[in-house]
Amino acid sequence: MGSIDRYIFRTTLASFALVLVSLTGVIWITQALRGIDLMTSQGQTILTFLGITSLVVPALVLIISPIALMIAISHTLNKLATDSEIIVMNAAGFSPFRLFYPFFYATCVVAALVAFIAAYLAPDGMRRIKQWDAEITADVLTNILQPGRFAQLDKNLTIRIRERQPGGILAGIFIDDRRDPNERVSIVAEHGEVVKNENGSFLVLKDGNLQRFEAGKRDPALVAFGRYGFDMSKFGNQGRDVTLGIRERYLWELFSPSEDDPVYNQIPGQFRSALHDSLLAPIYPFAFAVLTFAFLGAPRTTRQSRNFSIGSSILAVFGLRMAGFACSVMAVKSPAPVLVQYAMVFGAIGVGLWMIVGGIVVEPPPGLLEAINRSNARIARLFGRPATA
């Protein structure tokens, strides 16, 4: 790789990283705001909130990376064209196909990143989200106990809380425990919180009183306490087993699913669609890179407009990706759209390479240019007429 290739390679990857981080950050914030109830209504910590929401980042990167690469290549080519560097390199003997080399190397790096994310990292993140969410859902204090409702945890155990406060604090707690046939325990506490340690899960009650009604006795025993621990371990370890969906499967699990997998037996078409989406994920960056360079990589003078080529490249890339999404949806019911999707992607790469090798310059049709010029002339006459006295 020569000095020019290294320069273009570094510029493209730097632009790609900047665009990828920016777009991923914006979209991640919009997704993270949906999970803000983890801290407000379910009393989880900020670390739990950030941990769960950050696990979706690989899935976002998987979708955004090809688009970020297209934007990076467009920016780099526009920069080279603005500084007349493409014209100079073409005059020095660099053919358009030779100029495509550093962009191809950058695309290989992006494709390797996308392949790793599609095969392992994104499914692993979604799997961890589901397991983490199952643990939170399994916690009785975040699932069953809702403010203002009487929750029957066991046949003879009822708990009610008045409200949830920031920091996981529960206010207005009432417990009616009749599990022991020889006594009935009623507890009222002002506040409480969950404490988990190696011994289990406990509801630590503060500032309350306990009434114990023993069988055969007329009067209850009343005890006021400042701190009292109520064992909740029996109810905090339920529901930990989770069923993995399509998005939580690694590539090798999609490629050869178990015959006794209930999810596969129920929706085999979705396995097929997800498998080919993962296989095509690292191919889309090459298609986007080739199409973008085919429309913008040809040498032009600074007086030649590139707006039409930029718009055409965006439409071509957008149309290819939307068609791919449509084929993925239809592939759930039939394998034929999978073949169409492969044909479209590799066909786009072939057409783009043919345009690059042939040095084809994408320009607007003469009729469109004349119509635009006439429209501009009419607008100029409309706003340029001298005002009458």
Side-chain angles (χ1 to χ4, degrees):
M1 187 184 298
S3 57
I4 297 178
D5 293 338
R6 287 195 297 270
Y7 165 69
I8 297 176
F9 177 79
R10 288 195 306 268
T11 303
T12 303
L13 283 186
S15 302
F16 166 77
L18 179 62
V19 175
L20 180 64
V21 171
S22 302
L23 292 179
T24 303
V26 171
I27 299 177
W28 175 80
I29 290 175
T30 61
Q31 296 294 320
L33 291 177
R34 298 180 181 179
I36 198 69
D37 64 308
L38 283 173
M39 292 191 301
T40 57
S41 65
Q42 297 186 359
Q44 300 298 320
T45 64
I46 183 66
L47 294 179
T48 301
F49 169 74
L50 293 177
I52 292 180
T53 54
S54 63
L55 289 174
V56 78
V57 170
L60 296 177
V61 172
L62 179 63
I63 299 174
I64 296 173
S65 290
I67 301 174
L69 177 64
M70 180 202 70
I71 296 175
I73 293 177
S74 300
H75 167 74
T76 303
L77 288 173
N78 187 65
K79 180 176 180 298
L80 295 176
T82 302
D83 297 338
S84 301
E85 292 175 318
I86 294 181
I87 294 291
V88 173
M89 286 186 284
N90 182 259
F94 269 65
S95 64
F97 187 74
R98 174 63 184 83
L99 182 61
F100 181 66
Y101 283 8
F103 295 101
F104 174 77
Y105 301 147
T107 305
C108 289
V109 175
V110 175
L113 173 66
V114 170
F116 174 69
I117 294 176
Y120 174 77
L121 198 58
D124 185 69
M126 302 306 296
R127 179 174 299 195
R128 292 176 184 272
I129 289 177
K130 195 161 191 175
Q131 292 173 346
W132 207 337
D133 184 64
E135 292 179 0
I136 295 176
T137 304
D139 190 346
V140 65
L141 298 177
T142 59
N143 183 38
I144 300 177
L145 296 186
Q146 298 296 329
R149 295 174 54 186
F150 288 89
Q152 189 170 1
L153 307 186
D154 205 349
K155 185 177 181 180
N156 294 308
L157 177 63
T158 303
I159 299 181
R160 179 187 184 275
I161 62 173
R162 186 178 69 246
E163 63 176 332
R164 295 181 182 274
Q165 297 178 351
I169 303 299
L170 307 176
I173 303 171
F174 169 76
I175 301 177
D176 183 30
D177 188 359
R178 304 185 185 183
R179 291 175 295 175
D180 189 344
N182 297 321
E183 66 177 15
R184 172 184 175 183
V185 177
S186 296
I187 304 174
V188 177
E190 288 294 329
H191 300 91
E193 61 180 336
V194 183
V195 175
K196 297 181 180 181
N197 53 35
E198 63 276 2
N199 297 321
S201 300
F202 298 89
L203 177 58
V204 179
L205 306 174
K206 301 177 182 179
D207 302 328
N209 60 77
L210 180 150
Q211 294 182 5
R212 179 176 285 109
F213 298 84
E214 297 183 7
K217 293 185 179 181
R218 179 179 177 181
D219 299 325
L222 180 62
V223 178
F225 60 83
R227 187 181 180 90
Y228 180 82
F230 189 81
D231 191 1
M232 302 288 290
S233 302
K234 177 182 177 181
F235 310 101
N237 295 323
Q238 301 174 354
R240 294 298 179 89
D241 296 333
V242 297
T243 301
L244 298 178
I246 303 299
R247 296 189 302 169
E248 292 87 31
R249 306 298 179 105
Y250 299 121
L251 178 61
W252 50 90
E253 294 176 340
L254 295 173
F255 192 79
S256 58
S258 176
E259 295 181 357
D260 56 354
D261 189 337
V263 179
Y264 175 71
N265 293 329
Q266 184 179 3
I267 47 175
Q270 293 191 17
F271 270 75
R272 176 178 57 245
S273 177
L275 170 63
H276 292 287
D277 280 345
S278 299
L279 293 177
L280 280 170
I283 308 299
Y284 273 106
F286 289 101
F288 285 15
V290 170
L291 288 176
T292 303
F293 189 90
F295 282 97
L296 300 176
R300 291 183 176 88
T301 64
T302 54
R303 293 186 178 183
Q304 290 178 291
S305 176
R306 302 170 60 87
N307 296 332
F308 182 81
S309 297
I310 293 175
S312 300
S313 66
I314 293 175
L315 290 177
V317 169
F318 179 79
L320 177 64
R321 198 64 189 94
M322 289 299 102
F325 282 134
C327 289
S328 297
V329 174
M330 292 185 292
V332 175
K333 298 182 178 180
S334 172
V338 174
L339 300 178
V340 176
Q341 190 174 9
Y342 278 95
M344 288 191 308
V345 174
F346 286 101
I349 294 176
V351 171
L353 290 176
W354 171 75
M355 294 173 63
I356 294 173
V357 173
I360 298 176
V361 179
V362 179
E363 293 181 345
L368 179 61
L369 283 178
E370 292 180 3
I372 293 175
N373 291 333
R374 287 195 301 268
S375 176
N376 292 337
R378 285 196 297 268
I379 294 175
R381 288 195 301 270
L382 178 63
F383 291 96
R385 288 181 300 180
T388 59

Short mmCIF file of all heavy atoms in Angstrom, two decimals, residues 62-63 246 267-281 284 319-345:
data_model
loop_
_atom_site.label_atom_id
_atom_site.label_comp_id
_atom_site.label_asym_id
_atom_site.label_seq_id
_atom_site.Cartn_x
_atom_site.Cartn_y
_atom_site.Cartn_z
N LEU A 62 -24.35 -2.99 13.81
CA LEU A 62 -24.53 -3.90 12.69
C LEU A 62 -25.35 -3.25 11.58
O LEU A 62 -25.06 -3.43 10.39
CB LEU A 62 -25.23 -5.17 13.20
CG LEU A 62 -25.52 -6.26 12.16
CD1 LEU A 62 -24.22 -6.79 11.56
CD2 LEU A 62 -26.34 -7.39 12.78
N ILE A 63 -26.35 -2.49 11.92
CA ILE A 63 -27.21 -1.86 10.92
C ILE A 63 -26.59 -0.57 10.39
O ILE A 63 -26.69 -0.25 9.20
CB ILE A 63 -28.59 -1.57 11.53
CG1 ILE A 63 -29.26 -2.88 11.97
CG2 ILE A 63 -29.49 -0.84 10.54
CD1 ILE A 63 -30.57 -2.69 12.70
N ILE A 246 -35.04 -15.69 17.98
CA ILE A 246 -34.23 -15.73 16.76
C ILE A 246 -33.02 -14.80 16.89
O ILE A 246 -31.90 -15.15 16.53
CB ILE A 246 -35.08 -15.34 15.54
CG1 ILE A 246 -36.29 -16.25 15.42
CG2 ILE A 246 -34.23 -15.39 14.27
CD1 ILE A 246 -35.94 -17.70 15.22
N ILE A 267 -41.16 -22.02 14.04
CA ILE A 267 -40.97 -20.96 13.04
C ILE A 267 -39.66 -21.20 12.27
O ILE A 267 -38.71 -20.43 12.40
CB ILE A 267 -40.97 -19.56 13.69
CG1 ILE A 267 -40.07 -19.54 14.94
CG2 ILE A 267 -42.36 -19.12 14.04
CD1 ILE A 267 -39.92 -18.17 15.56
N PRO A 268 -39.58 -22.26 11.48
CA PRO A 268 -38.33 -22.51 10.73
C PRO A 268 -38.02 -21.43 9.71
O PRO A 268 -36.87 -21.19 9.37
CB PRO A 268 -38.59 -23.87 10.07
CG PRO A 268 -40.08 -23.96 9.98
CD PRO A 268 -40.61 -23.26 11.19
N GLY A 269 -39.06 -20.77 9.18
CA GLY A 269 -38.84 -19.73 8.18
C GLY A 269 -38.06 -18.56 8.74
O GLY A 269 -37.24 -17.96 8.03
N GLN A 270 -38.31 -18.20 9.99
CA GLN A 270 -37.57 -17.09 10.59
C GLN A 270 -36.11 -17.46 10.81
O GLN A 270 -35.24 -16.59 10.75
CB GLN A 270 -38.24 -16.67 11.90
CG GLN A 270 -39.61 -16.05 11.71
CD GLN A 270 -40.13 -15.42 12.98
OE1 GLN A 270 -39.37 -15.15 13.91
NE2 GLN A 270 -41.43 -15.17 13.02
N PHE A 271 -35.82 -18.72 11.07
CA PHE A 271 -34.43 -19.16 11.16
C PHE A 271 -33.74 -18.98 9.82
O PHE A 271 -32.59 -18.52 9.76
CB PHE A 271 -34.38 -20.63 11.59
CG PHE A 271 -34.33 -20.84 13.07
CD1 PHE A 271 -35.45 -20.66 13.85
CD2 PHE A 271 -33.13 -21.20 13.69
CE1 PHE A 271 -35.41 -20.84 15.22
CE2 PHE A 271 -33.08 -21.38 15.06
CZ PHE A 271 -34.22 -21.21 15.83
N ARG A 272 -34.43 -19.35 8.74
CA ARG A 272 -33.84 -19.20 7.41
C ARG A 272 -33.58 -17.73 7.10
O ARG A 272 -32.50 -17.37 6.60
CB ARG A 272 -34.78 -19.82 6.37
CG ARG A 272 -34.30 -19.63 4.93
CD ARG A 272 -35.23 -20.30 3.92
NE ARG A 272 -36.60 -19.82 4.03
CZ ARG A 272 -37.63 -20.58 4.40
NH1 ARG A 272 -37.44 -21.84 4.72
NH2 ARG A 272 -38.85 -20.07 4.45
N SER A 273 -34.53 -16.88 7.38
CA SER A 273 -34.36 -15.45 7.12
C SER A 273 -33.22 -14.86 7.93
O SER A 273 -32.39 -14.11 7.40
CB SER A 273 -35.67 -14.72 7.43
OG SER A 273 -35.52 -13.33 7.26
N ALA A 274 -33.15 -15.20 9.23
CA ALA A 274 -32.09 -14.67 10.08
C ALA A 274 -30.72 -15.18 9.66
O ALA A 274 -29.72 -14.45 9.72
CB ALA A 274 -32.36 -15.03 11.54
N LEU A 275 -30.64 -16.44 9.23
CA LEU A 275 -29.37 -17.01 8.79
C LEU A 275 -28.82 -16.25 7.59
O LEU A 275 -27.65 -15.83 7.57
CB LEU A 275 -29.55 -18.48 8.44
CG LEU A 275 -28.37 -19.16 7.73
CD1 LEU A 275 -27.14 -19.17 8.63
CD2 LEU A 275 -28.74 -20.58 7.31
N HIS A 276 -29.64 -16.02 6.59
CA HIS A 276 -29.15 -15.35 5.38
C HIS A 276 -28.92 -13.86 5.62
O HIS A 276 -28.05 -13.27 4.97
CB HIS A 276 -30.13 -15.58 4.23
CG HIS A 276 -30.17 -17.01 3.77
ND1 HIS A 276 -29.15 -17.59 3.05
CD2 HIS A 276 -31.10 -17.98 3.96
CE1 HIS A 276 -29.44 -18.85 2.78
NE2 HIS A 276 -30.62 -19.12 3.33
N ASP A 277 -29.65 -13.27 6.54
CA ASP A 277 -29.34 -11.88 6.92
C ASP A 277 -27.94 -11.80 7.53
O ASP A 277 -27.19 -10.85 7.24
CB ASP A 277 -30.37 -11.38 7.92
CG ASP A 277 -31.66 -10.95 7.25
OD1 ASP A 277 -31.66 -10.78 6.02
OD2 ASP A 277 -32.68 -10.79 7.97
N SER A 278 -27.59 -12.76 8.37
CA SER A 278 -26.26 -12.77 8.98
C SER A 278 -25.17 -13.03 7.94
O SER A 278 -24.08 -12.45 8.02
CB SER A 278 -26.19 -13.83 10.09
OG SER A 278 -27.11 -13.55 11.12
N LEU A 279 -25.45 -13.90 6.97
CA LEU A 279 -24.46 -14.19 5.93
C LEU A 279 -24.26 -13.00 4.99
O LEU A 279 -23.14 -12.75 4.51
CB LEU A 279 -24.89 -15.43 5.14
CG LEU A 279 -24.90 -16.75 5.90
CD1 LEU A 279 -25.43 -17.87 5.01
CD2 LEU A 279 -23.51 -17.11 6.40
N LEU A 280 -25.34 -12.26 4.73
CA LEU A 280 -25.25 -11.14 3.81
C LEU A 280 -24.77 -9.86 4.48
O LEU A 280 -24.41 -8.90 3.79
CB LEU A 280 -26.61 -10.88 3.15
CG LEU A 280 -26.99 -11.79 1.99
CD1 LEU A 280 -28.45 -11.58 1.61
CD2 LEU A 280 -26.08 -11.56 0.79
N ALA A 281 -24.80 -9.83 5.81
CA ALA A 281 -24.42 -8.60 6.52
C ALA A 281 -23.04 -8.10 6.12
O ALA A 281 -22.87 -6.89 5.87
CB ALA A 281 -24.51 -8.82 8.02
N TYR A 284 -23.01 -6.47 2.34
CA TYR A 284 -23.60 -5.16 2.07
C TYR A 284 -22.58 -4.02 2.09
O TYR A 284 -22.69 -3.09 1.27
CB TYR A 284 -24.73 -4.88 3.07
CG TYR A 284 -26.07 -5.42 2.62
CD1 TYR A 284 -26.61 -6.55 3.21
CD2 TYR A 284 -26.78 -4.80 1.60
CE1 TYR A 284 -27.84 -7.05 2.81
CE2 TYR A 284 -28.01 -5.30 1.19
CZ TYR A 284 -28.53 -6.43 1.79
OH TYR A 284 -29.74 -6.92 1.38
N GLY A 319 -32.37 2.08 -2.12
CA GLY A 319 -33.22 1.11 -2.79
C GLY A 319 -32.74 -0.32 -2.60
O GLY A 319 -33.55 -1.23 -2.38
N LEU A 320 -31.43 -0.52 -2.66
CA LEU A 320 -30.88 -1.86 -2.46
C LEU A 320 -31.17 -2.37 -1.05
O LEU A 320 -31.57 -3.52 -0.86
CB LEU A 320 -29.37 -1.85 -2.73
CG LEU A 320 -28.64 -3.17 -2.48
CD1 LEU A 320 -29.14 -4.24 -3.45
CD2 LEU A 320 -27.13 -2.99 -2.64
N ARG A 321 -30.99 -1.50 -0.05
CA ARG A 321 -31.20 -1.94 1.33
C ARG A 321 -32.67 -2.19 1.62
O ARG A 321 -33.02 -3.15 2.31
CB ARG A 321 -30.64 -0.91 2.32
CG ARG A 321 -30.45 -1.51 3.72
CD ARG A 321 -29.39 -2.59 3.63
NE ARG A 321 -29.27 -3.38 4.85
CZ ARG A 321 -29.90 -4.54 5.07
NH1 ARG A 321 -30.74 -5.01 4.17
NH2 ARG A 321 -29.67 -5.22 6.17
N MET A 322 -33.55 -1.33 1.11
CA MET A 322 -34.97 -1.54 1.33
C MET A 322 -35.45 -2.81 0.65
O MET A 322 -36.27 -3.56 1.20
CB MET A 322 -35.76 -0.33 0.81
CG MET A 322 -35.59 0.94 1.63
SD MET A 322 -36.14 0.76 3.37
CE MET A 322 -34.55 0.56 4.20
N ALA A 323 -34.94 -3.08 -0.54
CA ALA A 323 -35.29 -4.33 -1.22
C ALA A 323 -34.78 -5.53 -0.43
O ALA A 323 -35.44 -6.57 -0.37
CB ALA A 323 -34.72 -4.33 -2.64
N GLY A 324 -33.60 -5.38 0.19
CA GLY A 324 -33.08 -6.46 1.02
C GLY A 324 -33.95 -6.72 2.23
O GLY A 324 -34.21 -7.88 2.59
N PHE A 325 -34.42 -5.65 2.87
CA PHE A 325 -35.33 -5.82 4.01
C PHE A 325 -36.62 -6.52 3.56
O PHE A 325 -37.14 -7.39 4.27
CB PHE A 325 -35.66 -4.47 4.63
CG PHE A 325 -34.57 -3.93 5.51
CD1 PHE A 325 -34.16 -2.61 5.41
CD2 PHE A 325 -33.94 -4.74 6.45
CE1 PHE A 325 -33.15 -2.10 6.22
CE2 PHE A 325 -32.93 -4.24 7.26
CZ PHE A 325 -32.53 -2.92 7.15
N ALA A 326 -37.14 -6.13 2.41
CA ALA A 326 -38.37 -6.75 1.92
C ALA A 326 -38.16 -8.23 1.64
O ALA A 326 -39.02 -9.07 1.97
CB ALA A 326 -38.85 -6.02 0.66
N CYS A 327 -37.03 -8.57 1.06
CA CYS A 327 -36.74 -9.99 0.79
C CYS A 327 -36.58 -10.77 2.09
O CYS A 327 -36.99 -11.94 2.17
CB CYS A 327 -35.48 -10.12 -0.06
SG CYS A 327 -35.67 -9.58 -1.77
N SER A 328 -36.00 -10.16 3.11
CA SER A 328 -35.85 -10.84 4.40
C SER A 328 -37.21 -11.15 5.00
O SER A 328 -37.41 -12.23 5.59
CB SER A 328 -35.04 -9.96 5.36
OG SER A 328 -33.73 -9.76 4.89
N VAL A 329 -38.15 -10.23 4.88
CA VAL A 329 -39.50 -10.47 5.40
C VAL A 329 -40.19 -11.59 4.62
O VAL A 329 -40.80 -12.49 5.21
CB VAL A 329 -40.33 -9.17 5.36
CG1 VAL A 329 -41.77 -9.44 5.77
CG2 VAL A 329 -39.71 -8.12 6.28
N MET A 330 -40.07 -11.55 3.30
CA MET A 330 -40.73 -12.56 2.48
C MET A 330 -40.06 -13.93 2.59
O MET A 330 -40.68 -14.96 2.34
CB MET A 330 -40.77 -12.11 1.03
CG MET A 330 -41.67 -10.90 0.78
SD MET A 330 -41.82 -10.47 -0.97
CE MET A 330 -40.15 -9.88 -1.31
N ALA A 331 -38.77 -13.95 2.97
CA ALA A 331 -38.05 -15.22 3.09
C ALA A 331 -38.56 -16.07 4.23
O ALA A 331 -38.25 -17.25 4.30
CB ALA A 331 -36.56 -14.95 3.27
N VAL A 332 -39.35 -15.47 5.13
CA VAL A 332 -39.93 -16.25 6.22
C VAL A 332 -40.89 -17.29 5.68
O VAL A 332 -40.99 -18.41 6.23
CB VAL A 332 -40.63 -15.31 7.22
CG1 VAL A 332 -41.35 -16.10 8.30
CG2 VAL A 332 -39.62 -14.36 7.85
N LYS A 333 -41.58 -16.98 4.60
CA LYS A 333 -42.59 -17.89 4.05
C LYS A 333 -42.07 -18.73 2.89
O LYS A 333 -42.62 -19.79 2.61
CB LYS A 333 -43.81 -17.08 3.60
CG LYS A 333 -44.51 -16.35 4.73
CD LYS A 333 -45.74 -15.62 4.23
CE LYS A 333 -46.47 -14.93 5.38
NZ LYS A 333 -47.68 -14.21 4.91
N SER A 334 -41.04 -18.25 2.20
CA SER A 334 -40.56 -18.97 1.02
C SER A 334 -39.06 -18.74 0.85
O SER A 334 -38.55 -17.64 1.13
CB SER A 334 -41.30 -18.49 -0.23
OG SER A 334 -40.72 -19.04 -1.40
N PRO A 335 -38.29 -19.75 0.40
CA PRO A 335 -36.84 -19.56 0.19
C PRO A 335 -36.50 -18.79 -1.08
O PRO A 335 -35.36 -18.38 -1.26
CB PRO A 335 -36.31 -21.00 0.12
CG PRO A 335 -37.47 -21.81 -0.35
CD PRO A 335 -38.70 -21.16 0.21
N ALA A 336 -37.47 -18.59 -1.98
CA ALA A 336 -37.18 -17.91 -3.24
C ALA A 336 -36.68 -16.48 -3.04
O ALA A 336 -35.72 -16.05 -3.71
CB ALA A 336 -38.41 -17.92 -4.14
N PRO A 337 -37.26 -15.67 -2.15
CA PRO A 337 -36.74 -14.31 -1.95
C PRO A 337 -35.28 -14.27 -1.49
O PRO A 337 -34.61 -13.26 -1.71
CB PRO A 337 -37.66 -13.72 -0.88
CG PRO A 337 -38.94 -14.48 -1.03
CD PRO A 337 -38.51 -15.86 -1.40
N VAL A 338 -34.80 -15.35 -0.87
CA VAL A 338 -33.39 -15.39 -0.48
C VAL A 338 -32.51 -15.33 -1.71
O VAL A 338 -31.50 -14.60 -1.76
CB VAL A 338 -33.10 -16.65 0.35
CG1 VAL A 338 -31.61 -16.78 0.64
CG2 VAL A 338 -33.89 -16.63 1.65
N LEU A 339 -32.86 -16.11 -2.73
CA LEU A 339 -32.08 -16.10 -3.97
C LEU A 339 -32.15 -14.72 -4.63
O LEU A 339 -31.15 -14.24 -5.18
CB LEU A 339 -32.63 -17.16 -4.92
CG LEU A 339 -32.57 -18.61 -4.40
CD1 LEU A 339 -33.19 -19.56 -5.41
CD2 LEU A 339 -31.13 -19.02 -4.09
N VAL A 340 -33.31 -14.09 -4.58
CA VAL A 340 -33.45 -12.73 -5.14
C VAL A 340 -32.55 -11.76 -4.39
O VAL A 340 -31.91 -10.88 -5.01
CB VAL A 340 -34.92 -12.29 -5.08
CG1 VAL A 340 -35.06 -10.85 -5.57
CG2 VAL A 340 -35.80 -13.21 -5.91
N GLN A 341 -32.48 -11.90 -3.08
CA GLN A 341 -31.64 -10.99 -2.29
C GLN A 341 -30.17 -11.15 -2.64
O GLN A 341 -29.45 -10.16 -2.82
CB GLN A 341 -31.87 -11.26 -0.81
CG GLN A 341 -31.24 -10.23 0.12
CD GLN A 341 -31.62 -10.47 1.56
OE1 GLN A 341 -32.20 -11.49 1.91
NE2 GLN A 341 -31.27 -9.52 2.42
N TYR A 342 -29.71 -12.39 -2.76
CA TYR A 342 -28.32 -12.62 -3.16
C TYR A 342 -28.06 -12.07 -4.56
O TYR A 342 -27.01 -11.45 -4.82
CB TYR A 342 -27.99 -14.11 -3.12
CG TYR A 342 -27.65 -14.64 -1.75
CD1 TYR A 342 -28.61 -15.23 -0.95
CD2 TYR A 342 -26.36 -14.54 -1.26
CE1 TYR A 342 -28.31 -15.73 0.30
CE2 TYR A 342 -26.03 -15.03 0.00
CZ TYR A 342 -27.01 -15.62 0.78
OH TYR A 342 -26.70 -16.10 2.03
N ALA A 343 -29.01 -12.28 -5.47
CA ALA A 343 -28.83 -11.79 -6.84
C ALA A 343 -28.76 -10.27 -6.86
O ALA A 343 -27.95 -9.69 -7.61
CB ALA A 343 -29.98 -12.29 -7.72
N MET A 344 -29.58 -9.60 -6.06
CA MET A 344 -29.55 -8.14 -6.03
C MET A 344 -28.22 -7.61 -5.50
O MET A 344 -27.64 -6.69 -6.08
CB MET A 344 -30.70 -7.61 -5.16
CG MET A 344 -32.07 -7.74 -5.76
SD MET A 344 -33.32 -6.82 -4.80
CE MET A 344 -33.01 -7.44 -3.15
N VAL A 345 -27.74 -8.19 -4.40
CA VAL A 345 -26.52 -7.68 -3.79
C VAL A 345 -25.32 -7.90 -4.71
O VAL A 345 -24.55 -6.96 -5.00
CB VAL A 345 -26.29 -8.36 -2.43
CG1 VAL A 345 -24.94 -7.94 -1.85
CG2 VAL A 345 -27.40 -7.99 -1.46
#
